Amino acid sequence: MQKTYLVNGKVTYPQQGGSLTTFHFISPENGGAFTVSTTENAEADSLDYGDKVNVTIEKIVETEE
């Protein structure tokens, strides 16, 4: 399943010598929303408010050994 979302919020907080950035994503199609956080600066710098992103959802199938 693949869906398109907009970055609807981005907040960076200082945290123990580093930082934590939280992104809020919203679906323009149905209003569904979710958040994702990162401590990686490269990830935090890669998105900004208003950017469109594609999200792919795949089921993880675990096999017994």
Side-chain angles (χ1 to χ4, degrees), residues 2-65:
Q2 188 166 359
K3 302 286 184 182
T4 299
Y5 288 83
L6 295 174
V7 178
N8 193 44
K10 178 180 178 180
V11 179
T12 301
Y13 306 94
Q15 187 172 359
Q16 300 176 9
S19 61
L20 174 72
T21 299
T22 301
F23 294 97
H24 183 261
F25 299 91
I26 190 165
S27 169
E29 212 174 90
N30 61 21
F34 66 96
T35 59
V36 174
S37 297
T38 184
T39 56
E40 299 293 325
N41 289 335
E43 290 177 354
D45 293 340
S46 68
L47 295 174
D48 242 329
Y49 183 83
D51 288 347
K52 288 183 180 180
V53 299
N54 284 324
V55 176
T56 302
I57 300 169
E58 295 180 17
K59 181 178 179 177
I60 298 173
V61 179
E62 296 184 20
T63 58
E64 291 185 34
E65 292 184 35

